[in-house]
Amino acid sequence: MAVMRSVPTERVAICATHGGNNEYHIINAVPALPTDHDVDAIINFESGALIDAFETHAPVLVTSHELEEIISGDLAPLGWNEHKTEAVVIVPLMAGSTRVGALILASSKSDAFSYDDIDLLGQASGQVAGTISNLQLHADLQRESDERQLLASVAREASSVVEFSQAIGPIAEELSQALDFDSLEIASIDRSVTGGALRLSWNRDDKAHPVSERFAYSGSIEESVALDMLPLVAAGKELEVLKKHYSSTQLDSSRWGSLITVPMTMLSQVVGTLTVRSKSNMPYPIEDVEMLTRVANQLAGALQSARMYGRQQNQTITSRHISRSQ
């Protein structure tokens, strides 16, 4: 609103990015975003004029033939193509040499923005960029603190029980505080055991009854993730594409809309996989994938310990049977 009072513009949007990437999340817009757009609308700056703004670190005025392409293309999430637009100003928001966002203005008059207006916007951009950068830093610190607490809670729940299957419910409850999912699965990959691998499943619809079952490991998603030692992330139509390669109920798009499967690694060895699935077809962001990977590695030690305990128990029982038979 301060910008609209100072500069003759009819439409303003402010967006922010993180880590210098090219996904700019729209924080606020006047007029408001169209109701049919996603709540977390994203702009990707790909046209030449918009890229120039970030390369020069200075506002860029667009009134040429490229204008229509920008309004209907890169800036389409704003819904401004429904209005007459004759001029657009892109103001890059920089924290040093790092992109933190952009201020976007539009007018129905080609001569709406004077050189003084553009110069004023350039001067104001530093203050706006500083505010966004500080907020992002605070959010990062808070997120790191929350994640440390999450990892500690997950480790505590996993190590507090002898049978790992007893921990999946508490682990799922802890993890659901930071990640939105409807199902959590832990697959234990033990190459010393024949007959497939063991999968523990927790579903939000039936929290009190986690399921333990053996499944065909060969050719499964779990095997692919374990061999590649890389996360697998899919959502929406991507599930149908994967379904051509893997016969798994995890890919039933009529039940599930998105998933993440990450390896559980200990001493450079994959001991299992951790999977979360959601009924929503919104893709999981990279931050969630990275966090789940750290949780998986935190759980790997507990899974291996539970597995060794189980072997010892089996050996003890076997020894007793042998002794009795003799």
Side-chain angles (χ1 to χ4, degrees):
M1 298 309 296
V3 169
M4 297 186 80
R5 287 194 297 267
S6 304
V7 178
T9 183
E10 300 151 27
R11 278 156 274 158
V12 177
I14 185 168
C15 54
T17 186
H18 202 26
N21 62 42
N22 201 40
E23 288 190 348
Y24 292 78
H25 298 257
I26 300 172
I27 299 174
N28 197 22
V30 180
L33 295 179
T35 55
D36 60 340
H37 278 70
D38 294 335
V39 175
D40 188 20
I42 296 174
I43 293 175
N44 293 305
F45 291 100
E46 296 178 349
S47 65
L50 306 186
I51 293 174
D52 287 346
F54 290 102
E55 290 183 346
T56 61
H57 296 188
V60 169
L61 173 64
V62 184
T63 57
S64 63
H65 62 280
E66 194 177 9
L67 183 62
E68 183 177 348
E69 178 185 342
I70 291 173
I71 293 297
S72 60
D74 291 3
L75 303 185
L78 292 170
W80 290 356
N81 56 320
E82 300 174 3
H83 306 274
K84 180 183 178 183
T85 303
E86 296 294 336
V88 166
V89 176
I90 306 296
V91 185
L93 303 177
M94 311 291 297
S97 60
T98 303
R99 304 177 182 184
V100 297
L103 186 63
I104 311 167
L105 302 86
S107 176
S108 60
K109 300 177 181 178
S110 60
D111 59 350
F113 305 107
S114 67
Y115 287 111
D116 288 340
D117 293 331
I118 295 174
D119 182 60
L120 176 63
L121 291 170
Q123 294 179 44
S125 66
Q127 297 179 8
V128 180
T131 299
I132 292 177
S133 183
N134 288 336
L135 289 171
Q136 289 178 342
L137 177 60
H138 176 75
D140 286 344
L141 293 174
Q142 184 62 51
R143 184 163 50 248
E144 290 175 6
S145 175
D146 292 343
E147 186 174 311
R148 283 195 296 269
Q149 292 181 24
L150 171 64
L151 292 175
S153 298
V154 165
R156 183 174 60 252
E157 296 293 350
S159 60
S160 64
V161 295
V162 175
E163 293 289 338
F164 197 79
S165 58
Q166 298 174 11
I168 190 169
I171 289 171
E173 294 290 353
E174 290 288 348
L175 188 55
S176 66
Q177 303 300 314
L179 192 64
D180 185 24
F181 59 89
D182 296 291
S183 173
L184 181 142
E185 297 173 355
I186 297 175
S188 175
I189 302 170
D190 189 351
R191 292 174 177 81
S192 66
V193 178
T194 58
L198 181 66
R199 179 192 289 141
L200 299 173
S201 302
W202 175 96
N203 288 287
R204 188 178 300 279
D205 295 338
D206 192 8
K207 298 180 180 181
H209 301 94
V211 177
S212 177
E213 61 182 349
R214 290 214 166 267
F215 69 100
Y217 177 66
S218 179
S220 66
I221 290 176
E222 288 85 355
E223 181 187 43
S224 177
V225 169
L227 291 175
D228 294 339
M229 297 183 71
L230 292 171
L232 185 148
V233 187
K237 294 181 179 179
E238 295 172 335
L239 295 180
E240 293 300 319
V241 175
L242 287 175
K243 199 170 184 179
K244 298 177 182 178
H245 304 281
Y246 307 103
S247 57
S248 173
T249 55
Q250 293 170 301
L251 304 175
D252 184 357
S253 58
S254 64
R255 294 181 59 206
W256 307 110
S258 56
L259 69 82
I260 310 172
T261 299
V262 297
M264 299 171 67
T265 307
M266 181 180 179
L267 300 177
S268 301
Q269 295 293 321
V270 178
V271 300
T273 61
L274 177 62
T275 299
V276 294
R277 292 184 283 155
S278 173
K279 294 177 182 178
S280 168
N281 60 7
M282 290 294 293
Y284 283 104
I286 186 63
E287 293 83 6
D288 287 350
V289 179
E290 292 173 346
M291 182 192 68
L292 193 66
T293 299
R294 288 188 282 270
V295 170
N297 292 334
Q298 182 81 34
L299 289 173
L303 177 61
Q304 187 73 340
S305 297
R307 182 184 295 165
M308 292 177 65
Y309 177 82
R311 288 177 186 169
Q312 292 173 353
Q313 291 296 99
N314 290 335
Q315 289 173 0
T316 300
I317 293 172
T318 302
S319 298
R320 287 175 180 174
H321 282 305
I322 293 174
S323 298
R324 289 173 182 174
S325 63
Q326 290 176 344

PDB file of all heavy atoms in Angstrom, residues 219-255:
ATOM      1  N   GLY A 219      12.487 -55.655  -7.269  1.00  0.00           N
ATOM      2  CA  GLY A 219      11.692 -54.869  -8.204  1.00  0.00           C
ATOM      3  C   GLY A 219      10.788 -53.845  -7.562  1.00  0.00           C
ATOM      4  O   GLY A 219       9.957 -53.235  -8.231  1.00  0.00           O
ATOM      5  N   SER A 220      10.939 -53.648  -6.252  1.00  0.00           N
ATOM      6  CA  SER A 220      10.072 -52.693  -5.539  1.00  0.00           C
ATOM      7  C   SER A 220      10.676 -51.293  -5.521  1.00  0.00           C
ATOM      8  O   SER A 220      11.845 -51.092  -5.852  1.00  0.00           O
ATOM      9  CB  SER A 220       9.865 -53.160  -4.094  1.00  0.00           C
ATOM     10  OG  SER A 220      11.101 -53.116  -3.383  1.00  0.00           O
ATOM     11  N   ILE A 221       9.847 -50.326  -5.131  1.00  0.00           N
ATOM     12  CA  ILE A 221      10.335 -48.958  -4.966  1.00  0.00           C
ATOM     13  C   ILE A 221      11.433 -48.922  -3.909  1.00  0.00           C
ATOM     14  O   ILE A 221      12.439 -48.223  -4.055  1.00  0.00           O
ATOM     15  CB  ILE A 221       9.167 -48.029  -4.566  1.00  0.00           C
ATOM     16  CG1 ILE A 221       8.212 -47.840  -5.733  1.00  0.00           C
ATOM     17  CG2 ILE A 221       9.685 -46.675  -4.087  1.00  0.00           C
ATOM     18  CD1 ILE A 221       6.996 -47.023  -5.405  1.00  0.00           C
ATOM     19  N   GLU A 222      11.230 -49.687  -2.839  1.00  0.00           N
ATOM     20  CA  GLU A 222      12.219 -49.718  -1.760  1.00  0.00           C
ATOM     21  C   GLU A 222      13.579 -50.179  -2.271  1.00  0.00           C
ATOM     22  O   GLU A 222      14.611 -49.629  -1.903  1.00  0.00           O
ATOM     23  CB  GLU A 222      11.733 -50.646  -0.639  1.00  0.00           C
ATOM     24  CG  GLU A 222      10.582 -50.092   0.182  1.00  0.00           C
ATOM     25  CD  GLU A 222       9.227 -50.358  -0.428  1.00  0.00           C
ATOM     26  OE1 GLU A 222       9.165 -50.896  -1.567  1.00  0.00           O
ATOM     27  OE2 GLU A 222       8.217 -50.027   0.210  1.00  0.00           O
ATOM     28  N   GLU A 223      13.584 -51.195  -3.131  1.00  0.00           N
ATOM     29  CA  GLU A 223      14.852 -51.682  -3.681  1.00  0.00           C
ATOM     30  C   GLU A 223      15.523 -50.606  -4.526  1.00  0.00           C
ATOM     31  O   GLU A 223      16.739 -50.398  -4.441  1.00  0.00           O
ATOM     32  CB  GLU A 223      14.616 -52.934  -4.529  1.00  0.00           C
ATOM     33  CG  GLU A 223      15.925 -53.502  -5.103  1.00  0.00           C
ATOM     34  CD  GLU A 223      15.692 -54.632  -6.083  1.00  0.00           C
ATOM     35  OE1 GLU A 223      14.776 -54.506  -6.926  1.00  0.00           O
ATOM     36  OE2 GLU A 223      16.427 -55.634  -6.010  1.00  0.00           O
ATOM     37  N   SER A 224      14.734 -49.921  -5.359  1.00  0.00           N
ATOM     38  CA  SER A 224      15.290 -48.877  -6.215  1.00  0.00           C
ATOM     39  C   SER A 224      15.920 -47.759  -5.389  1.00  0.00           C
ATOM     40  O   SER A 224      17.024 -47.298  -5.680  1.00  0.00           O
ATOM     41  CB  SER A 224      14.183 -48.296  -7.115  1.00  0.00           C
ATOM     42  OG  SER A 224      14.676 -47.237  -7.907  1.00  0.00           O
ATOM     43  N   VAL A 225      15.223 -47.321  -4.334  1.00  0.00           N
ATOM     44  CA  VAL A 225      15.745 -46.257  -3.469  1.00  0.00           C
ATOM     45  C   VAL A 225      17.002 -46.728  -2.739  1.00  0.00           C
ATOM     46  O   VAL A 225      17.976 -45.979  -2.598  1.00  0.00           O
ATOM     47  CB  VAL A 225      14.665 -45.809  -2.463  1.00  0.00           C
ATOM     48  CG1 VAL A 225      15.260 -44.906  -1.385  1.00  0.00           C
ATOM     49  CG2 VAL A 225      13.538 -45.081  -3.192  1.00  0.00           C
ATOM     50  N   ALA A 226      16.998 -47.998  -2.283  1.00  0.00           N
ATOM     51  CA  ALA A 226      18.150 -48.533  -1.561  1.00  0.00           C
ATOM     52  C   ALA A 226      19.368 -48.647  -2.469  1.00  0.00           C
ATOM     53  O   ALA A 226      20.491 -48.330  -2.062  1.00  0.00           O
ATOM     54  CB  ALA A 226      17.803 -49.894  -0.969  1.00  0.00           C
ATOM     55  N   LEU A 227      19.168 -49.084  -3.708  1.00  0.00           N
ATOM     56  CA  LEU A 227      20.285 -49.239  -4.633  1.00  0.00           C
ATOM     57  C   LEU A 227      20.860 -47.890  -5.066  1.00  0.00           C
ATOM     58  O   LEU A 227      22.071 -47.712  -5.147  1.00  0.00           O
ATOM     59  CB  LEU A 227      19.842 -50.035  -5.865  1.00  0.00           C
ATOM     60  CG  LEU A 227      19.527 -51.520  -5.626  1.00  0.00           C
ATOM     61  CD1 LEU A 227      18.978 -52.152  -6.899  1.00  0.00           C
ATOM     62  CD2 LEU A 227      20.769 -52.263  -5.161  1.00  0.00           C
ATOM     63  N   ASP A 228      19.961 -46.937  -5.344  1.00  0.00           N
ATOM     64  CA  ASP A 228      20.407 -45.607  -5.776  1.00  0.00           C
ATOM     65  C   ASP A 228      20.897 -44.757  -4.611  1.00  0.00           C
ATOM     66  O   ASP A 228      21.653 -43.802  -4.817  1.00  0.00           O
ATOM     67  CB  ASP A 228      19.277 -44.866  -6.492  1.00  0.00           C
ATOM     68  CG  ASP A 228      18.883 -45.528  -7.803  1.00  0.00           C
ATOM     69  OD1 ASP A 228      19.713 -46.285  -8.340  1.00  0.00           O
ATOM     70  OD2 ASP A 228      17.757 -45.288  -8.270  1.00  0.00           O
ATOM     71  N   MET A 229      20.421 -45.099  -3.399  1.00  0.00           N
ATOM     72  CA  MET A 229      20.740 -44.326  -2.197  1.00  0.00           C
ATOM     73  C   MET A 229      20.331 -42.863  -2.364  1.00  0.00           C
ATOM     74  O   MET A 229      21.015 -41.946  -1.925  1.00  0.00           O
ATOM     75  CB  MET A 229      22.230 -44.426  -1.838  1.00  0.00           C
ATOM     76  CG  MET A 229      22.675 -45.839  -1.496  1.00  0.00           C
ATOM     77  SD  MET A 229      24.398 -45.982  -0.993  1.00  0.00           S
ATOM     78  CE  MET A 229      24.338 -45.197   0.630  1.00  0.00           C
ATOM     79  N   LEU A 230      19.177 -42.682  -3.042  1.00  0.00           N
ATOM     80  CA  LEU A 230      18.644 -41.346  -3.295  1.00  0.00           C
ATOM     81  C   LEU A 230      17.140 -41.344  -3.014  1.00  0.00           C
ATOM     82  O   LEU A 230      16.473 -42.367  -3.193  1.00  0.00           O
ATOM     83  CB  LEU A 230      18.883 -40.922  -4.744  1.00  0.00           C
ATOM     84  CG  LEU A 230      20.325 -40.672  -5.172  1.00  0.00           C
ATOM     85  CD1 LEU A 230      20.393 -40.481  -6.682  1.00  0.00           C
ATOM     86  CD2 LEU A 230      20.890 -39.449  -4.454  1.00  0.00           C
ATOM     87  N   PRO A 231      16.580 -40.204  -2.580  1.00  0.00           N
ATOM     88  CA  PRO A 231      15.134 -40.130  -2.344  1.00  0.00           C
ATOM     89  C   PRO A 231      14.349 -40.287  -3.637  1.00  0.00           C
ATOM     90  O   PRO A 231      14.836 -39.931  -4.720  1.00  0.00           O
ATOM     91  CB  PRO A 231      14.941 -38.722  -1.750  1.00  0.00           C
ATOM     92  CG  PRO A 231      16.291 -38.297  -1.291  1.00  0.00           C
ATOM     93  CD  PRO A 231      17.269 -38.953  -2.210  1.00  0.00           C
ATOM     94  N   LEU A 232      13.138 -40.789  -3.529  1.00  0.00           N
ATOM     95  CA  LEU A 232      12.200 -40.830  -4.640  1.00  0.00           C
ATOM     96  C   LEU A 232      10.998 -39.988  -4.238  1.00  0.00           C
ATOM     97  O   LEU A 232      10.396 -40.219  -3.188  1.00  0.00           O
ATOM     98  CB  LEU A 232      11.781 -42.262  -4.946  1.00  0.00           C
ATOM     99  CG  LEU A 232      10.876 -42.459  -6.171  1.00  0.00           C
ATOM    100  CD1 LEU A 232      11.149 -43.800  -6.834  1.00  0.00           C
ATOM    101  CD2 LEU A 232       9.396 -42.362  -5.816  1.00  0.00           C
ATOM    102  N   VAL A 233      10.660 -39.002  -5.063  1.00  0.00           N
ATOM    103  CA  VAL A 233       9.563 -38.082  -4.772  1.00  0.00           C
ATOM    104  C   VAL A 233       8.629 -38.061  -5.978  1.00  0.00           C
ATOM    105  O   VAL A 233       9.087 -37.923  -7.114  1.00  0.00           O
ATOM    106  CB  VAL A 233      10.082 -36.658  -4.492  1.00  0.00           C
ATOM    107  CG1 VAL A 233       8.950 -35.749  -4.021  1.00  0.00           C
ATOM    108  CG2 VAL A 233      11.215 -36.672  -3.471  1.00  0.00           C
ATOM    109  N   ALA A 234       7.340 -38.209  -5.741  1.00  0.00           N
ATOM    110  CA  ALA A 234       6.376 -38.207  -6.847  1.00  0.00           C
ATOM    111  C   ALA A 234       5.039 -37.680  -6.370  1.00  0.00           C
ATOM    112  O   ALA A 234       4.691 -37.807  -5.195  1.00  0.00           O
ATOM    113  CB  ALA A 234       6.224 -39.612  -7.428  1.00  0.00           C
ATOM    114  N   ALA A 235       4.286 -37.104  -7.296  1.00  0.00           N
ATOM    115  CA  ALA A 235       2.953 -36.578  -6.979  1.00  0.00           C
ATOM    116  C   ALA A 235       2.103 -36.563  -8.241  1.00  0.00           C
ATOM    117  O   ALA A 235       2.617 -36.423  -9.358  1.00  0.00           O
ATOM    118  CB  ALA A 235       3.051 -35.171  -6.396  1.00  0.00           C
ATOM    119  N   GLY A 236       0.787 -36.700  -8.053  1.00  0.00           N
ATOM    120  CA  GLY A 236      -0.146 -36.581  -9.164  1.00  0.00           C
ATOM    121  C   GLY A 236       0.114 -37.579 -10.281  1.00  0.00           C
ATOM    122  O   GLY A 236       0.236 -38.784 -10.067  1.00  0.00           O
ATOM    123  N   LYS A 237       0.258 -37.075 -11.492  1.00  0.00           N
ATOM    124  CA  LYS A 237       0.445 -37.927 -12.666  1.00  0.00           C
ATOM    125  C   LYS A 237       1.767 -38.692 -12.623  1.00  0.00           C
ATOM    126  O   LYS A 237       1.911 -39.722 -13.294  1.00  0.00           O
ATOM    127  CB  LYS A 237       0.380 -37.077 -13.939  1.00  0.00           C
ATOM    128  CG  LYS A 237      -0.994 -36.461 -14.195  1.00  0.00           C
ATOM    129  CD  LYS A 237      -1.006 -35.649 -15.473  1.00  0.00           C
ATOM    130  CE  LYS A 237      -2.390 -35.053 -15.728  1.00  0.00           C
ATOM    131  NZ  LYS A 237      -2.404 -34.228 -16.976  1.00  0.00           N
ATOM    132  N   GLU A 238       2.721 -38.187 -11.853  1.00  0.00           N
ATOM    133  CA  GLU A 238       4.003 -38.892 -11.736  1.00  0.00           C
ATOM    134  C   GLU A 238       3.814 -40.287 -11.142  1.00  0.00           C
ATOM    135  O   GLU A 238       4.566 -41.209 -11.454  1.00  0.00           O
ATOM    136  CB  GLU A 238       4.973 -38.085 -10.874  1.00  0.00           C
ATOM    137  CG  GLU A 238       5.376 -36.759 -11.490  1.00  0.00           C
ATOM    138  CD  GLU A 238       6.175 -35.899 -10.529  1.00  0.00           C
ATOM    139  OE1 GLU A 238       6.026 -36.079  -9.299  1.00  0.00           O
ATOM    140  OE2 GLU A 238       6.956 -35.051 -11.009  1.00  0.00           O
ATOM    141  N   LEU A 239       2.811 -40.444 -10.280  1.00  0.00           N
ATOM    142  CA  LEU A 239       2.535 -41.755  -9.705  1.00  0.00           C
ATOM    143  C   LEU A 239       2.143 -42.754 -10.793  1.00  0.00           C
ATOM    144  O   LEU A 239       2.535 -43.926 -10.748  1.00  0.00           O
ATOM    145  CB  LEU A 239       1.429 -41.661  -8.657  1.00  0.00           C
ATOM    146  CG  LEU A 239       1.726 -40.845  -7.398  1.00  0.00           C
ATOM    147  CD1 LEU A 239       0.516 -40.864  -6.470  1.00  0.00           C
ATOM    148  CD2 LEU A 239       2.939 -41.391  -6.674  1.00  0.00           C
ATOM    149  N   GLU A 240       1.356 -42.286 -11.762  1.00  0.00           N
ATOM    150  CA  GLU A 240       0.935 -43.166 -12.849  1.00  0.00           C
ATOM    151  C   GLU A 240       2.123 -43.567 -13.713  1.00  0.00           C
ATOM    152  O   GLU A 240       2.193 -44.702 -14.206  1.00  0.00           O
ATOM    153  CB  GLU A 240      -0.135 -42.469 -13.700  1.00  0.00           C
ATOM    154  CG  GLU A 240      -1.447 -42.241 -12.978  1.00  0.00           C
ATOM    155  CD  GLU A 240      -2.077 -43.538 -12.523  1.00  0.00           C
ATOM    156  OE1 GLU A 240      -2.050 -44.522 -13.300  1.00  0.00           O
ATOM    157  OE2 GLU A 240      -2.591 -43.587 -11.389  1.00  0.00           O
ATOM    158  N   VAL A 241       3.055 -42.657 -13.895  1.00  0.00           N
ATOM    159  CA  VAL A 241       4.263 -42.971 -14.670  1.00  0.00           C
ATOM    160  C   VAL A 241       5.082 -44.036 -13.942  1.00  0.00           C
ATOM    161  O   VAL A 241       5.553 -45.008 -14.542  1.00  0.00           O
ATOM    162  CB  VAL A 241       5.113 -41.706 -14.902  1.00  0.00           C
ATOM    163  CG1 VAL A 241       6.426 -42.061 -15.604  1.00  0.00           C
ATOM    164  CG2 VAL A 241       4.334 -40.687 -15.727  1.00  0.00           C
ATOM    165  N   LEU A 242       5.246 -43.864 -12.633  1.00  0.00           N
ATOM    166  CA  LEU A 242       6.007 -44.833 -11.850  1.00  0.00           C
ATOM    167  C   LEU A 242       5.325 -46.192 -11.808  1.00  0.00           C
ATOM    168  O   LEU A 242       5.979 -47.228 -11.726  1.00  0.00           O
ATOM    169  CB  LEU A 242       6.199 -44.314 -10.419  1.00  0.00           C
ATOM    170  CG  LEU A 242       7.195 -43.167 -10.228  1.00  0.00           C
ATOM    171  CD1 LEU A 242       7.168 -42.690  -8.789  1.00  0.00           C
ATOM    172  CD2 LEU A 242       8.607 -43.604 -10.604  1.00  0.00           C
ATOM    173  N   LYS A 243       3.995 -46.169 -11.876  1.00  0.00           N
ATOM    174  CA  LYS A 243       3.221 -47.406 -11.779  1.00  0.00           C
ATOM    175  C   LYS A 243       3.540 -48.358 -12.939  1.00  0.00           C
ATOM    176  O   LYS A 243       3.353 -49.572 -12.840  1.00  0.00           O
ATOM    177  CB  LYS A 243       1.731 -47.082 -11.752  1.00  0.00           C
ATOM    178  CG  LYS A 243       0.867 -48.206 -11.198  1.00  0.00           C
ATOM    179  CD  LYS A 243      -0.558 -47.725 -10.985  1.00  0.00           C
ATOM    180  CE  LYS A 243      -1.403 -48.816 -10.345  1.00  0.00           C
ATOM    181  NZ  LYS A 243      -2.786 -48.352 -10.098  1.00  0.00           N
ATOM    182  N   LYS A 244       4.050 -47.807 -14.030  1.00  0.00           N
ATOM    183  CA  LYS A 244       4.428 -48.636 -15.173  1.00  0.00           C
ATOM    184  C   LYS A 244       5.682 -49.448 -14.876  1.00  0.00           C
ATOM    185  O   LYS A 244       5.950 -50.455 -15.530  1.00  0.00           O
ATOM    186  CB  LYS A 244       4.650 -47.758 -16.405  1.00  0.00           C
ATOM    187  CG  LYS A 244       3.413 -46.997 -16.868  1.00  0.00           C
ATOM    188  CD  LYS A 244       3.733 -46.089 -18.038  1.00  0.00           C
ATOM    189  CE  LYS A 244       2.506 -45.302 -18.474  1.00  0.00           C
ATOM    190  NZ  LYS A 244       2.804 -44.364 -19.599  1.00  0.00           N
ATOM    191  N   HIS A 245       6.455 -48.980 -13.882  1.00  0.00           N
ATOM    192  CA  HIS A 245       7.719 -49.644 -13.558  1.00  0.00           C
ATOM    193  C   HIS A 245       7.653 -50.442 -12.257  1.00  0.00           C
ATOM    194  O   HIS A 245       8.411 -51.393 -12.081  1.00  0.00           O
ATOM    195  CB  HIS A 245       8.836 -48.607 -13.452  1.00  0.00           C
ATOM    196  CG  HIS A 245       8.996 -47.768 -14.678  1.00  0.00           C
ATOM    197  ND1 HIS A 245       9.648 -48.221 -15.813  1.00  0.00           N
ATOM    198  CD2 HIS A 245       8.587 -46.505 -14.963  1.00  0.00           C
ATOM    199  CE1 HIS A 245       9.632 -47.272 -16.742  1.00  0.00           C
ATOM    200  NE2 HIS A 245       9.001 -46.223 -16.251  1.00  0.00           N
ATOM    201  N   TYR A 246       6.775 -50.029 -11.351  1.00  0.00           N
ATOM    202  CA  TYR A 246       6.687 -50.694 -10.045  1.00  0.00           C
ATOM    203  C   TYR A 246       5.240 -51.089  -9.764  1.00  0.00           C
ATOM    204  O   TYR A 246       4.336 -50.253  -9.850  1.00  0.00           O
ATOM    205  CB  TYR A 246       7.172 -49.768  -8.921  1.00  0.00           C
ATOM    206  CG  TYR A 246       8.542 -49.190  -9.143  1.00  0.00           C
ATOM    207  CD1 TYR A 246       8.692 -47.877  -9.564  1.00  0.00           C
ATOM    208  CD2 TYR A 246       9.687 -49.948  -8.923  1.00  0.00           C
ATOM    209  CE1 TYR A 246       9.933 -47.331  -9.769  1.00  0.00           C
ATOM    210  CE2 TYR A 246      10.936 -49.417  -9.120  1.00  0.00           C
ATOM    211  CZ  TYR A 246      11.061 -48.103  -9.549  1.00  0.00           C
ATOM    212  OH  TYR A 246      12.313 -47.563  -9.748  1.00  0.00           O
ATOM    213  N   SER A 247       5.035 -52.341  -9.433  1.00  0.00           N
ATOM    214  CA  SER A 247       3.687 -52.796  -9.051  1.00  0.00           C
ATOM    215  C   SER A 247       3.546 -52.626  -7.545  1.00  0.00           C
ATOM    216  O   SER A 247       3.925 -53.489  -6.769  1.00  0.00           O
ATOM    217  CB  SER A 247       3.497 -54.265  -9.437  1.00  0.00           C
ATOM    218  OG  SER A 247       4.496 -55.061  -8.839  1.00  0.00           O
ATOM    219  N   SER A 248       3.049 -51.482  -7.134  1.00  0.00           N
ATOM    220  CA  SER A 248       2.958 -51.180  -5.708  1.00  0.00           C
ATOM    221  C   SER A 248       1.673 -50.425  -5.405  1.00  0.00           C
ATOM    222  O   SER A 248       1.265 -49.539  -6.164  1.00  0.00           O
ATOM    223  CB  SER A 248       4.160 -50.337  -5.271  1.00  0.00           C
ATOM    224  OG  SER A 248       4.007 -49.897  -3.948  1.00  0.00           O
ATOM    225  N   THR A 249       1.034 -50.800  -4.288  1.00  0.00           N
ATOM    226  CA  THR A 249      -0.164 -50.077  -3.871  1.00  0.00           C
ATOM    227  C   THR A 249       0.173 -48.648  -3.471  1.00  0.00           C
ATOM    228  O   THR A 249      -0.708 -47.806  -3.361  1.00  0.00           O
ATOM    229  CB  THR A 249      -0.825 -50.781  -2.676  1.00  0.00           C
ATOM    230  OG1 THR A 249       0.139 -50.927  -1.619  1.00  0.00           O
ATOM    231  CG2 THR A 249      -1.337 -52.155  -3.079  1.00  0.00           C
ATOM    232  N   GLN A 250       1.468 -48.379  -3.246  1.00  0.00           N
ATOM    233  CA  GLN A 250       1.884 -47.013  -2.937  1.00  0.00           C
ATOM    234  C   GLN A 250       1.576 -46.063  -4.090  1.00  0.00           C
ATOM    235  O   GLN A 250       1.485 -44.856  -3.907  1.00  0.00           O
ATOM    236  CB  GLN A 250       3.395 -46.963  -2.670  1.00  0.00           C
ATOM    237  CG  GLN A 250       3.831 -47.678  -1.414  1.00  0.00           C
ATOM    238  CD  GLN A 250       5.341 -47.783  -1.373  1.00  0.00           C
ATOM    239  OE1 GLN A 250       5.961 -48.353  -2.249  1.00  0.00           O
ATOM    240  NE2 GLN A 250       5.923 -47.206  -0.347  1.00  0.00           N
ATOM    241  N   LEU A 251       1.435 -46.621  -5.299  1.00  0.00           N
ATOM    242  CA  LEU A 251       1.259 -45.805  -6.495  1.00  0.00           C
ATOM    243  C   LEU A 251      -0.190 -45.767  -6.975  1.00  0.00           C
ATOM    244  O   LEU A 251      -0.462 -45.322  -8.074  1.00  0.00           O
ATOM    245  CB  LEU A 251       2.162 -46.331  -7.613  1.00  0.00           C
ATOM    246  CG  LEU A 251       3.646 -46.413  -7.245  1.00  0.00           C
ATOM    247  CD1 LEU A 251       4.433 -47.063  -8.365  1.00  0.00           C
ATOM    248  CD2 LEU A 251       4.201 -45.032  -6.935  1.00  0.00           C
ATOM    249  N   ASP A 252      -1.101 -46.240  -6.152  1.00  0.00           N
ATOM    250  CA  ASP A 252      -2.519 -46.205  -6.498  1.00  0.00           C
ATOM    251  C   ASP A 252      -3.017 -44.765  -6.376  1.00  0.00           C
ATOM    252  O   ASP A 252      -3.321 -44.287  -5.288  1.00  0.00           O
ATOM    253  CB  ASP A 252      -3.301 -47.130  -5.563  1.00  0.00           C
ATOM    254  CG  ASP A 252      -4.776 -47.209  -5.935  1.00  0.00           C
ATOM    255  OD1 ASP A 252      -5.187 -46.506  -6.884  1.00  0.00           O
ATOM    256  OD2 ASP A 252      -5.511 -47.961  -5.279  1.00  0.00           O
ATOM    257  N   SER A 253      -3.093 -44.076  -7.503  1.00  0.00           N
ATOM    258  CA  SER A 253      -3.432 -42.650  -7.486  1.00  0.00           C
ATOM    259  C   SER A 253      -4.873 -42.381  -7.072  1.00  0.00           C
ATOM    260  O   SER A 253      -5.232 -41.235  -6.801  1.00  0.00           O
ATOM    261  CB  SER A 253      -3.159 -42.024  -8.860  1.00  0.00           C
ATOM    262  OG  SER A 253      -3.904 -42.684  -9.864  1.00  0.00           O
ATOM    263  N   SER A 254      -5.713 -43.428  -7.017  1.00  0.00           N
ATOM    264  CA  SER A 254      -7.072 -43.222  -6.538  1.00  0.00           C
ATOM    265  C   SER A 254      -7.098 -43.107  -5.009  1.00  0.00           C
ATOM    266  O   SER A 254      -8.065 -42.634  -4.430  1.00  0.00           O
ATOM    267  CB  SER A 254      -7.972 -44.384  -6.984  1.00  0.00           C
ATOM    268  OG  SER A 254      -7.556 -45.603  -6.389  1.00  0.00           O
ATOM    269  N   ARG A 255      -6.002 -43.561  -4.355  1.00  0.00           N
ATOM    270  CA  ARG A 255      -5.909 -43.493  -2.892  1.00  0.00           C
ATOM    271  C   ARG A 255      -4.867 -42.486  -2.437  1.00  0.00           C
ATOM    272  O   ARG A 255      -5.046 -41.820  -1.423  1.00  0.00           O
ATOM    273  CB  ARG A 255      -5.538 -44.868  -2.336  1.00  0.00           C
ATOM    274  CG  ARG A 255      -6.589 -45.947  -2.529  1.00  0.00           C
ATOM    275  CD  ARG A 255      -6.102 -47.248  -1.922  1.00  0.00           C
ATOM    276  NE  ARG A 255      -5.822 -47.092  -0.499  1.00  0.00           N
ATOM    277  CZ  ARG A 255      -4.953 -47.836   0.168  1.00  0.00           C
ATOM    278  NH1 ARG A 255      -4.245 -48.757  -0.463  1.00  0.00           N
ATOM    279  NH2 ARG A 255      -4.766 -47.641   1.459  1.00  0.00           N
TER     280      ARG A 255
END
